[in-house]
Amino acid sequence: MSDNSIKTENGIEVYENDILCFAEMYIESLSDPKSINNNSSIFAGMLKFIYRNVFKHNKLDYSDIELLDNVWDVYTDLCYKFGKHPTLLNFSLMTGIHRDTFQSWKNGEYRDNGNGTKSAHSVTVRKWMQECESAMLDGATEKNSIGCIFALKANYGYTEQPQRIEIVGAQQPVLSTTEIEQIAAEMPKTDEITPDF
């Protein structure tokens, strides 16, 4: 087996360069090849084109997590090349791996050999998820992308904290006599208690 090939469930070797080859073929077929950088639908179309030509008839060997991790690396290289954020959904689109399978692997329910969430599949999928989260966080912090901020909130539990304003020292606001009287008038009335001396 060549260094740049992966083995399918049927024992057929598929070269990682096939992924890149079909990506280039798809881009060259566009009326404006640069449009892939600005349009998520065109990028998704490229991933589907790769699936149809590389993985549809040569299903990946799911038991070989190292092989799958190599395919993930090729996928993320494409994402970063075209300015897209990697997601498990788009990886699923490119490879044909059902998205529920990732959840099963993450939870340690697949070929765990008694290792559960310490299995290679579980550890690897969590690593992929961290890369997806990191890419979204970069988009939110570097580009202030509303989409990335929303995705972080929806998928990773991020929240926004209200801004705290603290006034210290001589910068305290000064109240006028009228404002002080108004605040005093609005305070609840209590019975006066006279101290016993």
Side-chain angles (χ1 to χ4, degrees):
M1 189 157 136
S2 167
D3 285 346
N4 65 346
S5 66
I6 54 179
K7 200 167 199 165
T8 66
E9 219 172 57
N10 304 341
I12 299 170
E13 287 187 31
V14 177
Y15 292 88
E16 286 182 59
N17 288 339
D18 282 353
I19 297 170
L20 301 177
C21 176
F22 282 103
E24 288 302 317
M25 200 180 301
Y26 179 83
I27 293 165
E28 288 172 5
S29 74
L30 299 172
S31 59
D32 177 12
K34 291 182 182 179
S35 63
I36 195 164
N37 294 313
N38 306 323
N39 190 319
S40 295
S41 296
I42 293 174
F43 183 75
M46 179 187 72
L47 297 177
K48 192 162 184 173
F49 184 76
I50 293 168
Y51 167 72
R52 280 195 315 271
N53 289 283
V54 178
F55 297 110
K56 185 174 184 177
H57 301 292
N58 298 304
K59 188 178 174 190
L60 285 166
D61 179 2
Y62 291 179
S63 68
D64 189 346
I65 193 63
E66 189 175 323
L67 171 133
L68 295 172
D69 196 34
N70 289 336
V71 174
W72 172 264
D73 287 340
V74 174
Y75 160 70
T76 55
D77 287 347
L78 287 171
C79 290
Y80 300 135
K81 179 178 180 178
F82 297 112
K84 306 300 181 215
H85 301 292
T87 65
L88 289 177
L89 286 175
N90 276 341
F91 186 56
S92 172
L93 182 64
M94 186 184 91
T95 61
I97 300 170
H98 195 278
R99 66 183 189 171
D100 292 343
T101 302
F102 296 129
Q103 194 65 31
S104 173
W105 292 350
K106 178 186 156 227
N107 295 336
E109 300 166 353
Y110 175 83
R111 299 182 188 233
D112 66 356
N113 297 326
N115 293 323
T117 57
K118 293 180 182 176
S119 70
H121 281 74
S122 182
V123 169
T124 302
V125 168
R126 286 195 315 269
K127 179 188 82 155
W128 296 345
M129 292 173 77
Q130 287 172 344
E131 185 169 3
C132 294
E133 180 181 358
S134 175
M136 289 292 171
L137 188 58
D138 289 346
T141 56
E142 293 172 7
K143 298 175 185 171
N144 202 21
S145 166
I146 300 291
C148 289
I149 293 168
F150 176 76
L152 286 167
K153 288 178 179 181
N155 298 311
Y156 300 101
Y158 282 67
T159 60
E160 292 181 59
Q161 299 298 322
Q163 183 179 8
R164 182 178 170 193
I165 300 172
E166 187 175 329
I167 301 171
V168 293
Q171 297 178 354
Q172 292 181 352
V174 178
L175 298 174
S176 69
T177 305
T178 308
E179 290 171 324
I180 293 171
E181 289 172 355
Q182 184 179 0
I183 292 170
E186 291 174 359
M187 292 183 70
K189 304 288 183 204
T190 59
D191 295 328
E192 279 190 35
I193 300 175
T194 309
D196 293 316
F197 292 93

